[in-house]
Amino acid sequence: MKHPIFVLLLLCSLPVFAQDNWPRQMPVAGGGKIIIYQPQPESLEGDKVHARAAVSVTQNASAEPVFGVIWCDAWLETDKNSRTAALTNIKVTDAKFPEDKADDAQIAKLKALLEKEVPGWHIVISLDELTTTLQQEVQDKDAPLNNAPPDIIYRDGPSLLVVLDGSPVIKDDKQVKMKRVMNSPFLIVEDGKKYYLYAGKYWYASSEVLSGWTYVSSLPSKIRQLDEQMKKQQASAQQGTTDKDQGFSSPPAIIVATKPTELIQSKGAATYAVVQGTDLLYCNNSNDDIFRDVNSQKVYVLLGGRWFSAASLNGPWEYVAADKLPAEFAKIPEGSPKDGVLSSVAGTDAAKEAVMDAQIPQTAKVDRKKATTTVTYDGAPKFEPIEGTSLSVAVNTSTTVLKDATGYYAVENGVWFQSANPTGPWAPATERPKDVSKIPPSNQAYNVKYVYIYDSTPEYVYMGYTPGYTGCYVYGPTLVYGTGYPYVPWIGTMYYPRPVTWGFGMHYNPWTGFSFSIGFSTGIFSFGMTFGGFGGWWGPAYYRPPYRPFYGPMYGRGPVVIDNRHINNININNNLYNRQNNVVTRDVNRGALGNRGGGVQNPNLANRPGAGGGGIQNRPGAGGGGVRNPNLTREAPRANVPNNVFGDRDGNVFQRDNNGGWNQRQNHSWQPASQNHQAQMNRDWQSRNRSFNRSQTSRQFNRGGGGGGRFRR
């Protein structure tokens, strides 16, 4: 018997407004209801997500439900600080009700009605739902990153690595009003015949920059005045927070490095404990990720997402690919003290989720009439060619400025600008330069290939950037930090650093991405007095990674709480769009997806008329709102049924019973599913369950940084 499903939907007379719990229930006149189960994302292209969802339709209170699957496209508006994404301008692309065997005309009417109603829903999902359920389709095309090991120094006492980008460059600094070592993120100044180093809450003195640093408690007058400024700066940064300093309780020894170097350390001679269920030992008196493989007796250390091994902690070290590690690493249990390394072990769920998370952009809309930027050069603009491309890059500015045959492009805080002149005026770009995707990682401009232009209207350009812009790169089956290449800084009357990979003990966690190690505590860098930002040491001028949030299990249970307080990141918001005027994030209201015209397929284009199809001239309202239903005024309640119904790619519907078994909807009843179907559904169920656990943990974790943030106009 055929059920006129579309007739049931036409009875929907009550407004609905979707909410963030699954499944969701839409009331139908006469006591019926439509239940929509948690969406199952299938693919992500730029900021466009394609997903399916199981649905059930009940005509009235006594009728049998009819189950089916709908497919939708939506635009993703992300807030990576809160780990949430809004699905906006939803478009239903297909629907199947296999048990009803509805004819094409009925399905067409069903789709038409859903297309009318669905765009009015406001659906917010957690990014953890997205990363754990999205089927990974990332191509493992490794860019030629530099994986040569840095100098790895081991110490068994409190030590701090002070990084210099080459030999000391000492110049007058107008802000501190004395000579300063410009090519270091640390504050090193010259007063008389001595140099003074500020490292968090401690001052050191030495007669030379590269060695001989000793802690000093008595400061000369100029340094004392500077110290007062630094303390005020730190107090201001900590105001209104509950953050605790993770830094040293006593002055650490200072090690100065002028080439790529990493410091690993233990509290006294290294001691080891067993990693449960494996043949691995981990160094239990170190905050670094140090392991010993019992079988080979080799030592392994994880730095910046890359593994290195040696016969002892004193080296020599060699690079080990994530998929070439001993099999024991993949057996590290989630919830154990060192499970944080699982994101860097090929084949683990944590690694797959990290790779997928790196594909999700932070999105924004840019006002075409108001947004602009200013580029400052040290002298006349100077450009050098980028190997393998038709582009050149400016070398004497802190802004990434590219030149091609059509003009000039600048990237500032995740926004593309264009101009006919290297000095401006600058306006938002509607397309990227042609060869930007060909920029090699050996070039300082490599990170801007991860800033995208998705779409445009006469009023706005829709842009976004993925974590590659801030130095987090997919490398085969895992993530790494930095390209590994030592870029050449600009040294003139000004000093402009370039992104560095080594020297800061970068660790990955699923909430804030890569973050500093414990040695780089709050206040360790004194950027408020330099460069007008963070200088460019980690990519964009106004970006710095957050501090490592805590040391303990990352998966399987909630974050570690110390002294009843979470370790947060002091006053840092890493949504770079909040640094840019006339740019709005998570406040985007665009026209229908059907009028987009192919912007996602070619990230260089922004739907100019004739570019890829529809173009902006076909967009309803040119700025949004045309498809929204103004009558939708209240939320649909969460359905009082388990979130245990799934749809597969063929439109079949399955339900998980209380015993963990699977049944398929056939002939208006649940019947045992085949073994092949059960295997796939078990994987889908595990992904959904994992997404719930990660989302819960993420909400418990009171973060202060990591890529998203508040709105700003």
Side-chain angles (χ1 to χ4, degrees):
M1 176 181 177
K2 292 184 178 180
H3 293 274
I5 300 171
F6 67 93
V7 174
L8 304 184
L9 290 175
L10 288 171
L11 296 176
C12 295
S13 60
L14 298 176
V16 296
F17 197 73
Q19 60 183 18
D20 192 24
N21 292 312
W22 300 103
R24 295 167 185 167
Q25 180 173 306
M26 301 163 55
V28 175
K33 60 187 176 184
I34 300 171
I35 294 178
I36 303 175
Y37 292 86
Q38 183 175 339
Q40 298 165 251
E42 292 186 353
S43 64
L44 177 67
E45 296 179 84
D47 65 342
K48 179 182 177 182
V49 64
H50 180 67
R52 67 182 185 272
V55 298
S56 71
V57 182
T58 305
Q59 181 177 9
N60 53 58
S62 60
E64 286 290 321
V66 178
F67 286 82
V69 179
I70 61 172
W71 281 263
C72 299
D73 287 341
W75 281 341
L76 202 64
E77 307 300 345
T78 56
D79 181 348
K80 299 194 81 174
N81 250 16
S82 65
R83 301 287 303 165
T84 59
L87 303 182
T88 65
N89 300 99
I90 302 169
K91 179 179 176 64
V92 176
T93 59
D94 199 3
K96 291 184 180 180
F97 288 81
E99 68 168 334
D100 195 62
K101 296 182 173 59
D103 59 32
D104 291 343
Q106 289 176 313
I107 294 297
K109 291 180 180 179
L110 169 63
K111 287 176 59 180
L113 184 60
L114 289 174
E115 286 174 353
K116 177 183 177 182
E117 297 296 332
V118 170
W121 304 347
H122 176 68
I123 298 178
V124 177
I125 64 174
S126 79
L127 291 184
D128 299 294
E129 289 179 17
L130 189 62
T131 57
T132 54
T133 58
L134 193 61
Q135 296 196 12
Q136 188 170 335
E137 297 180 0
V138 179
Q139 296 295 318
D140 289 336
K141 294 182 179 179
D142 292 342
L145 302 184
N146 182 0
N147 295 314
D151 286 352
I152 300 176
I153 299 172
Y154 168 68
R155 292 290 185 270
D156 60 4
S159 304
L160 179 65
L161 183 66
V162 173
V163 175
L164 271 68
D165 191 5
S167 299
V169 176
I170 303 172
K171 293 180 177 291
D172 288 323
D173 188 301
K174 295 180 181 179
Q175 289 181 299
V176 298
K177 298 179 181 178
M178 60 182 71
K179 290 186 180 295
R180 177 183 173 191
V181 176
M182 304 300 292
N183 58 330
S184 176
F186 293 84
L187 181 64
I188 306 174
V189 295
E190 182 181 358
D191 185 31
K193 296 183 179 180
K194 284 190 175 182
Y195 295 96
Y196 290 85
L197 162 69
Y198 181 76
K201 52 191 174 184
Y202 303 114
W203 281 95
Y204 297 80
S206 176
S207 59
E208 55 183 283
V209 174
L210 300 182
S211 62
W213 292 101
T214 58
Y215 166 70
V216 290
S217 57
S218 179
L219 302 173
S221 60
K222 283 187 178 180
I223 304 300
R224 188 166 58 251
Q225 292 174 14
L226 190 56
D227 178 66
E228 291 174 358
Q229 290 180 272
M230 306 311 300
K231 295 297 191 292
K232 288 181 180 179
Q233 188 180 75
Q234 284 182 245
S236 176
Q238 296 180 14
Q239 189 173 6
T241 73
T242 59
D243 299 271
K244 289 187 64 177
D245 193 336
Q246 296 185 74
F248 298 98
S249 58
S250 61
I254 299 298
I255 301 170
V256 179
T258 60
K259 58 182 179 179
T261 303
E262 284 286 351
L263 172 66
I264 58 176
Q265 53 191 306
S266 58
K267 300 173 184 177
T271 60
Y272 292 88
V274 175
V275 179
Q276 183 181 1
T278 75
D279 289 334
L280 296 174
L281 305 175
Y282 74 95
C283 186
N284 62 353
N285 63 337
S286 172
N287 287 317
D288 296 303
D289 294 320
I290 302 172
F291 296 83
R292 185 177 291 276
D293 176 31
V294 173
N295 297 315
S296 68
Q297 287 298 300
K298 283 188 175 182
V299 176
Y300 290 81
V301 63
L302 179 64
L303 296 167
R306 295 171 173 87
W307 289 96
F308 301 96
S309 69
S312 75
L313 287 169
N314 294 313
W317 298 89
E318 62 180 3
Y319 169 72
V320 181
D323 57 356
K324 302 298 182 184
L325 290 168
E328 298 301 303
F329 279 91
K331 300 177 184 178
I332 296 175
E334 292 192 352
S336 63
K338 284 296 181 179
D339 70 349
V341 305
L342 288 171
S343 59
S344 298
V345 178
T348 63
D349 288 336
K352 294 175 183 177
E353 291 162 9
V355 168
M356 189 52 62
D357 192 62
Q359 313 306 307
I360 298 175
Q362 174 66 63
T363 55
K365 70 175 182 180
V366 181
D367 191 313
R368 295 183 67 169
K369 297 178 181 178
K370 297 180 180 179
T372 188
T373 191
T374 300
V375 178
T376 302
Y377 298 88
D378 187 15
K382 181 179 180 180
F383 288 83
E384 293 182 356
I386 299 177
E387 183 181 2
T389 76
S390 60
L391 302 171
S392 297
V393 60
V395 295
N396 59 335
T397 176
S398 61
T399 303
T400 301
V401 181
L402 303 178
K403 175 185 176 182
D404 71 2
T406 66
Y408 299 87
Y409 296 82
V411 179
E412 193 74 65
N413 295 321
V415 177
W416 280 99
F417 295 94
Q418 61 185 2
S419 176
N421 300 294
T423 55
W426 298 93
T430 56
E431 62 178 27
R432 307 195 309 174
K434 178 182 177 182
D435 280 355
V436 68
S437 61
K438 298 180 181 178
I439 297 175
S442 56
N443 189 273
Q444 66 187 51
Y446 179 69
N447 66 325
V448 301
K449 70 187 293 182
Y450 296 94
V451 181
Y452 301 96
I453 298 174
Y454 300 119
D455 203 356
S456 67
T457 72
E459 290 83 18
Y460 299 103
V461 183
Y462 299 94
M463 302 191 190
Y465 64 86
T466 59
Y469 182 47
T470 55
C472 174
Y473 302 113
V474 176
Y475 191 71
T478 59
L479 299 182
V480 298
Y481 180 80
T483 65
Y485 288 96
Y487 301 121
V488 178
W490 171 260
I491 303 175
T493 57
M494 298 291 294
Y495 174 81
Y496 296 130
R498 305 304 178 201
V500 297
T501 299
W502 305 114
F504 303 98
M506 293 298 187
H507 292 75
Y508 181 84
N509 70 78
W511 300 285
T512 65
F514 280 102
S515 54
F516 292 129
S517 68
I518 194 168
F520 302 95
S521 59
T522 57
I524 202 77
F525 303 123
S526 308
F527 287 110
M529 309 189 71
T530 83
F531 302 115
F534 303 122
W537 285 91
W538 301 282
Y542 283 93
Y543 173 78
R544 74 151 172 82
Y547 303 117
R548 191 173 185 180
F550 56 82
Y551 291 81
M554 297 286 180
Y555 304 93
R557 65 184 179 90
V560 173
V561 178
I562 301 176
D563 294 339
N564 296 317
R565 293 186 293 181
H566 292 291
I567 297 298
N568 300 334
N569 293 292
I570 289 182
N571 198 28
I572 179 171
N573 189 305
N574 276 337
N575 181 352
L576 291 169
Y577 289 126
N578 290 325
R579 297 277 185 177
Q580 192 71 41
N581 290 325
N582 301 303
V583 174
V584 181
T585 63
R586 277 293 302 275
D587 185 19
V588 182
N589 186 16
R590 295 185 262 184
L593 270 169
N595 297 306
R596 184 163 182 155
V600 171
Q601 283 71 25
N602 185 349
N604 290 332
L605 299 179
N607 287 332
R608 297 169 298 168
I616 60 175
Q617 71 272 31
N618 294 325
R619 296 174 61 89
V627 295
R628 294 190 66 85
N629 186 341
N631 296 320
L632 302 181
T633 58
R634 68 183 181 89
E635 296 184 359
R638 184 190 185 281
N640 189 27
V641 295
N643 188 30
N644 63 348
V645 178
F646 294 75
D648 69 9
R649 287 178 177 264
D650 295 324
N652 299 307
V653 182
F654 300 87
Q655 183 187 65
R656 190 176 190 270
D657 61 32
N658 293 332
N659 297 319
W662 288 96
N663 298 295
Q664 183 176 354
R665 190 71 177 183
Q666 294 177 319
N667 299 321
H668 304 286
S669 65
W670 295 108
Q671 301 179 21
S674 68
Q675 290 297 320
N676 288 339
H677 282 135
Q678 289 195 41
Q680 179 58 52
M681 289 302 106
N682 278 329
R683 288 191 290 270
D684 289 348
W685 171 259
Q686 290 167 5
S687 293
R688 181 175 291 183
N689 197 44
R690 184 177 178 86
S691 76
F692 174 79
N693 291 335
R694 277 199 56 172
S695 181
Q696 291 296 104
T697 301
S698 180
R699 290 174 184 176
Q700 295 171 13
F701 179 37
N702 186 9
R703 294 166 296 108
R710 299 178 295 274
F711 304 160
R712 174 176 174 173
R713 296 182 186 275

